[in-house]
Amino acid sequence: MGDADNADYKESNIEIFDTVDEVKATAIVLAAGKGSRMHSDIPKQFMTLGDYPVLYYSLKAFQDSPVDDIILVTGEDYVEYCRNDIVDRYNITKVRKIVTGGAERYDSVHNGLIAADGAKYVLIHDGARPCITQKIITDSIDAVKIYSACTVGVPVKDTIKIVDEDQMGVDTPDRSRLWQVQTPQSFNRELLLTCYDGLAHDKCQVITDDTMIVERYSSVRTKVIMGAYENLKITTPEDLKIASNFLKKDVDTKMVK
Ligand code: CTP
Ligand code: MG
């Protein structure tokens, strides 16, 4: 998109969605999943990574960032645990509300969105991504102010293959156009709420992230900005080991002599 187009685009988005006076950014941190692919007794966001629960790291990152406040979304059975053993214990004072999630990720996002009243922008983040950085957060805030809908992501490193039901290759998309999407995904809150209304009338879709919802239920184009390969989502047991290494930051790039 050229600069001139970009300016027009920015202008039109502001015209449609700039109805909240306060320029407030709220992080919605999702921690209501069951973590079925982790096969552990407790949800992965509460497993221990280094000295802290996985969820602590992203809450602490938002606490130390320019966001105004945080909505934490978790399972009914974990609200007290989150309040006492994470939020209060580690003094995460920006947590304004802890609300319960729903059966699907998008149900949890929706509950968080409703709770984030007064926010102009929302940054939706997986509590299972502990390696989020300050740069990712500030870049997301800068981008959402321009585009109204954006996600962080990284260019894919491997070739991606589309296969059929017999696992036979049917296509190999151009890798230079493929990005792996991460969180935070950041939106003008009113825009995303409107798109969720569209989703409510059309629940047969397979929805895996929120930029998809904006792409399907509005004409607003979503921007993809650079995240970080370190910003992985803890999904399966080996991811804990990888994240633990990233968080230690003790890699030395010098040659051993
Ligand atoms: N999440 C949520 N509510 C749900 C499902 C997911 O808040 N109903 C959150 C998870 O806690 C996680 C993030 O969304 O922080 C990303 O989801 P995912 O990695 O799929 O986590 P789970 O759904 O918990 O894991 P799995 O899909 O393996 O069951
Ligand atoms: Mg899931």
Side-chain angles (χ1 to χ4, degrees), residues 62-106:
F62 284 113
Q63 172 74 22
D64 295 342
S65 82
V67 301
D68 294 279
D69 55 15
I70 303 168
I71 303 292
L72 174 57
V73 186
T74 194
E76 216 173 340
D77 297 344
Y78 294 96
V79 172
E80 283 311 300
Y81 167 76
C82 283
R83 180 172 295 123
N84 299 332
D85 294 275
I86 303 183
V87 174
D88 289 350
R89 180 167 180 191
Y90 300 115
N91 208 22
I92 313 289
T93 54
K94 284 189 181 175
V95 173
R96 177 157 64 98
K97 289 182 200 164
I98 304 178
V99 299
T100 54
E104 300 295 334
R105 184 184 181 281
Y106 56 76

Side-chain angles (χ1 to χ4, degrees), residues 113-163:
L113 260 183
I114 291 164
D117 52 335
K120 179 165 179 179
Y121 302 114
V122 288
L123 281 71
I124 298 167
H125 186 64
D126 296 328
R129 284 185 199 270
C131 304
I132 181 173
T133 61
Q134 292 302 314
K135 179 169 169 29
I136 289 175
I137 297 173
T138 52
D139 286 354
S140 296
I141 294 171
D142 290 345
V144 74
K145 287 178 180 170
I146 298 170
Y147 297 100
S148 292
C150 70
T151 181
V152 297
V154 285
V156 299
K157 293 183 183 179
D158 294 323
T159 294
I160 302 289
K161 190 71 80 182
I162 296 176
V163 296

Side-chain angles (χ1 to χ4, degrees), residues 33-37 44 103-105 233 235:
K34 294 190 166 45
S36 50
R37 287 170 287 179
K44 59 194 182 183
E104 300 295 334
R105 184 184 181 281
K233 180 160 66 68
T235 305

